[in-house]
Amino acid sequence: MQKWRAARRLLRYSPKSLFDPRSNPNSEHSISRSASGFAHCVDGEKYHPREFPPHIEHKKERSLWNTTERGLERTSRIQYRYYGSLASKIQRNPSFTTLNSDDINYFKSILGEKNVIEDEDTLLSANTDWMRKYNGSSKLLLQPRSTQEVSQVLKYCNSRRLAVVPQGGNTGLVGGSVPVFDEVIINVGSMNKIISMDQVSGVLVCEAGCILENLVSFLDNEGFIMPLDLGSKGSCQIGGNVSTNAGGLRLVRYGSLHGSVLGIEAVLANGDVLDMLWTLRKDNTGYDLKHLFIGSEGSLGIVTKVSILTPPKLSSVNIAFLACNDYFSCQKLLFEAKRRLGEILSAFEFLDNESLNLVLNHLEGVRNPLPPSMHNFYVLIETTGSDESYDKEKLEAFLLRSMEAGLISDGVLAQDINQASSFWRIREGVPEALMKEGAVYKYDLSLPVEKMYNLVEEMRTRIGNSAKVIGYGHLGDGNLHLNISTPQYNDRILAQIEPFVYEWTSKHRGSISAEHGLGLMKANEIFYSKSHETVQLMASIKKLMDPNGILNPYKVLPHSIISYS
């Protein structure tokens, strides 16, 4: 009887094909920048720069010996910074100089006064990551409008040994886009022009400051889509996406940015401009250096332009929200989906019942698609193709076969755009619900699919009733978002999480960062995923390309191998 009820739900097709609600700039997920250009998106929820989400992990700053301040200049023998309860002490690089009035006058001479920002309110936003976990003390924000201006700024900063932090939409999760101490912030948001779009090849060329959602809207009108889709698309910028090798919801279909990005333009620490802005699918002339900048988080250079291959927009989109009794059924469903849906499978997301409960409790207007029961696991499947009748027939056959095999216990297909949007709202709303629940420890991990949920279960056993452990993510590409939710940040709970979560991931040959990057949070944990020899080579590349170490210091690489000579 239950299977028949499920089958009736799954066969409720709409006569009209769906289109992707997440590419709609007028949808409820659209996030606009504030007037200052520094709105922050917390995976779907916008905070004004002066508004702070609840339960913030506090940062402590300590200077040893006496310090004196004279205007912009601050001198101290040694400066340390502690972040939250991690007891991770970071020493300011003593080779870096401090900002003075001559520096500011120089920047004004090349950028103009309005693009050299000293306003405290704007700096408060730019100094703070959107989780309000990391907070710097920069006194200056620069907004260059061209590659040449970025080059002039970096050449000067390198000569003066002024450390800098490249910044885009500032939507990162690991403290990579904000200062640690007093680094000069270089925000490329004013560089937001679309340079060209080739209708034949589908290659888009644009500046690094283009907001992802604006690119989505532009391409929609041109009959194409971005191969990248993120919950923070209303604020994040393509330069930051490339610099962090952002993943997202479409990776199972279109792969990572290492495959989609055909070329970049980047400015090195000494101001040299590397023109690698190719639009070719094939180019075997020597080392493909663009890959050094994809995922290096601004530590090797500042990306200023990008060329990216965009897929054609297809007319037939179907979305199913399904329930499974156990995690093994989710795995088996993925295996079958890849075999039987093949070329039309475009997303395969999963979440556990704790995740759905949070969303239902904290997000207004969200309803359970499969009332009245709560199931152990949920899967969201999206297919995208060009033949509506063929795609429906193929998806229907797959779902009926999966129900007969006992892989699906219940499910429903979106009948219209509103229902499709409501399904995606559940999946994309989990991070927002977590923020409303209280403090949250977030871990972004790549693991073998068959092992992914074992970590969630072991963490629940380890922590007990002192915190909620939630598991969800991109099952299609083996990316688990492990979240531990507590009323407030707690040293005892953190000690139960770390380093256990990193050790467990390393033991199972996983990665401690699937798509969020290392930033400041995980720089010292890199050895859980990379060998000493590999990390040492990374440090050598950093030394070669940025000998003074001014680009995004204290991030990506472990502090133990970065010399402060």
Side-chain angles (χ1 to χ4, degrees):
M1 189 66 177
Q2 177 66 18
K3 278 189 179 180
W4 173 242
R5 186 172 72 88
R8 291 184 66 190
R9 273 187 179 162
L10 288 167
L11 291 173
R12 287 189 316 204
Y13 285 104
S14 166
K16 297 180 180 179
S17 63
L18 302 176
F19 61 89
D20 186 350
R22 293 164 288 131
S23 66
N24 181 4
N26 298 317
S27 74
E28 63 180 333
H29 309 307
S30 177
I31 311 294
S32 302
R33 288 188 299 169
S34 65
S36 66
F38 290 98
H40 297 284
C41 171
V42 183
D43 279 339
E45 181 168 13
K46 189 177 87 172
Y47 287 99
H48 186 274
R50 297 292 293 185
E51 296 173 350
F52 290 78
H55 308 288
I56 304 308
E57 182 168 12
H58 296 291
K59 170 266 305 176
K60 300 176 182 178
E61 181 178 3
R62 177 186 174 196
S63 295
L64 301 185
W65 292 281
N66 292 328
T67 64
T68 60
E69 298 198 26
R70 298 184 182 91
L72 286 168
E73 294 193 51
R74 177 180 179 177
T75 61
S76 65
R77 295 278 299 277
I78 300 179
Q79 291 182 36
Y80 293 100
R81 183 149 289 184
Y82 300 80
Y83 278 90
S85 54
L86 297 175
S88 177
K89 183 172 68 173
I90 302 171
Q91 177 187 344
R92 185 184 186 276
N93 187 338
S95 71
F96 293 154
T97 56
T98 55
L99 197 66
N100 62 37
S101 57
D102 289 339
D103 300 326
I104 294 175
N105 288 334
Y106 174 79
F107 294 135
K108 287 180 178 179
S109 72
I110 61 173
L111 302 180
E113 289 202 17
K114 69 176 183 178
N115 296 311
V116 178
I117 311 298
E118 300 175 81
D119 174 69
E120 289 185 4
D121 287 343
T122 305
L123 284 169
L124 173 63
S125 172
N127 269 302
T128 309
D129 80 310
W130 63 256
M131 284 188 68
R132 305 300 192 247
K133 183 178 179 182
Y134 301 98
N135 194 301
S137 52
S138 176
K139 299 293 190 296
L140 192 67
L141 167 67
L142 304 179
Q143 296 177 317
R145 296 155 296 178
S146 67
T147 300
Q148 183 59 33
E149 288 184 353
V150 174
S151 173
Q152 289 178 275
V153 167
L154 284 183
K155 183 177 181 180
Y156 180 85
C157 289
N158 191 55
S159 68
R160 281 271 293 126
R161 289 195 176 230
L162 286 169
V164 302
V165 174
Q167 191 177 87
N170 198 14
T171 59
L173 290 160
V174 291
S177 60
V178 293
V180 178
F181 294 100
D182 56 350
E183 299 90 291
V184 175
I185 302 168
I186 302 177
N187 189 288
V188 298
S190 298
M191 299 171 60
N192 55 11
K193 297 183 183 67
I194 293 173
I195 298 170
S196 66
M197 175 65 201
D198 189 323
Q199 287 280 349
V200 177
S201 66
V203 177
L204 170 73
V205 181
C206 64
E207 292 184 316
C210 290
I211 294 173
L212 181 58
E213 190 167 63
N214 292 345
L215 295 179
V216 169
S217 299
F218 170 80
L219 288 170
D220 184 64
N221 291 330
E222 299 290 319
F224 293 84
I225 65 170
M226 284 294 288
L228 175 70
D229 190 10
L230 304 171
S232 58
K233 59 181 170 284
S235 296
C236 66
Q237 298 170 11
I238 190 63
N241 299 151
V242 170
S243 297
T244 57
N245 190 25
L249 302 165
R250 288 180 173 152
L251 193 138
V252 68
R253 174 73 169 264
Y254 300 113
S256 79
L257 290 175
H258 278 289
S260 299
V261 172
L262 301 181
I264 65 167
E265 178 188 81
V267 183
L268 300 182
N270 64 0
D272 287 352
V273 178
L274 289 187
D275 183 0
M276 301 177 288
L277 201 63
W278 313 120
T279 58
L280 306 174
R281 297 286 298 276
K282 292 183 175 181
D283 178 13
N284 259 358
T285 52
Y287 306 132
D288 198 348
L289 296 179
K290 70 175 181 288
H291 292 292
L292 284 176
F293 298 90
I294 301 173
S296 64
E297 303 181 52
S299 64
L300 299 179
I302 297 181
V303 173
T304 50
K305 294 186 179 76
V306 176
S307 67
I308 187 166
L309 183 65
T310 65
K313 178 184 175 182
L314 302 178
S315 58
S316 172
V317 180
N318 294 287
I319 300 171
F321 193 88
L322 312 172
C324 297
N325 285 328
D326 50 47
Y327 181 68
F328 178 79
S329 296
C330 297
Q331 293 180 61
K332 184 66 173 173
L333 193 65
L334 172 63
F335 175 75
E336 293 295 330
K338 287 182 174 180
R339 291 182 64 195
R340 302 192 181 279
L341 297 178
E343 76 285 355
I344 65 171
L345 181 65
S346 54
F348 196 104
E349 302 288 306
F350 95 105
L351 60 156
D352 58 18
N353 58 4
E354 289 278 5
S355 303
L356 182 59
N357 265 326
L358 279 174
V359 172
L360 295 176
N361 290 336
H362 289 291
L363 301 190
E364 186 177 351
V366 176
R367 292 178 175 83
N368 184 355
L370 303 173
S373 302
M374 286 295 291
H375 301 266
N376 293 326
F377 292 92
Y378 297 90
V379 168
L380 188 153
I381 293 178
E382 179 188 80
T383 64
T384 307
S386 57
D387 188 324
E388 182 179 347
S389 60
Y390 170 79
D391 295 345
K392 284 184 177 181
E393 182 180 347
K394 194 168 188 174
L395 181 58
E396 176 184 350
F398 163 72
L399 294 173
L400 289 174
R401 181 189 294 266
S402 298
M403 282 189 293
E404 289 171 357
L407 300 181
I408 300 171
S409 54
D410 204 352
V412 62
L413 281 165
Q415 300 178 69
D416 53 39
I417 182 59
N418 292 326
Q419 195 172 25
S421 179
S422 70
F423 291 172
W424 276 114
R425 175 61 171 150
I426 291 170
R427 167 57 187 88
E428 293 184 319
V430 179
E432 180 183 342
L434 281 162
M435 292 291 288
K436 292 185 175 182
E437 176 77 4
V440 58
Y441 297 96
K442 303 177 75 70
Y443 298 91
D444 160 55
L445 311 165
S446 271
L447 289 163
V449 171
E450 67 273 14
K451 301 288 186 182
M452 274 176 56
Y453 206 74
N454 292 355
L455 176 56
V456 179
E457 293 172 335
E458 289 194 34
M459 190 63 76
R460 283 177 181 152
T461 301
R462 185 177 178 87
I463 290 181
N465 297 324
S466 56
K468 290 182 182 178
V469 180
I470 292 96
Y472 69 98
H474 315 297
L475 195 65
D477 51 68
N479 183 183
L480 172 68
H481 293 309
L482 173 70
N483 290 259
I484 294 89
S485 175
T486 63
Q488 58 189 8
Y489 289 104
N490 184 294
D491 285 355
R492 181 180 59 81
I493 291 175
L494 182 60
Q496 291 178 293
I497 301 171
E498 298 181 16
F500 172 79
V501 65
Y502 299 129
E503 292 170 348
W504 197 98
T505 301
S506 180
K507 176 183 175 182
H508 293 88
R509 302 287 292 174
S511 169
I512 63 168
S513 180
E515 59 183 5
H516 293 168
L518 293 168
L520 179 64
M521 175 183 173
K522 299 180 184 179
N524 286 333
E525 318 301 339
I526 191 173
F527 293 111
Y528 286 107
S529 293
K530 294 290 188 289
S531 69
H532 283 261
E533 293 79 9
T534 301
V535 175
Q536 193 59 57
L537 180 57
M538 292 180 187
S540 299
I541 294 171
K542 167 73 171 175
K543 188 69 175 176
L544 174 68
M545 298 178 68
D546 180 18
N548 291 331
I550 66 164
L551 286 171
N552 219 5
Y554 323 108
K555 321 285 179 57
V556 183
L557 295 176
H559 311 141
S560 59
I561 68 169
I562 301 297
S563 62
Y564 290 165
S565 58

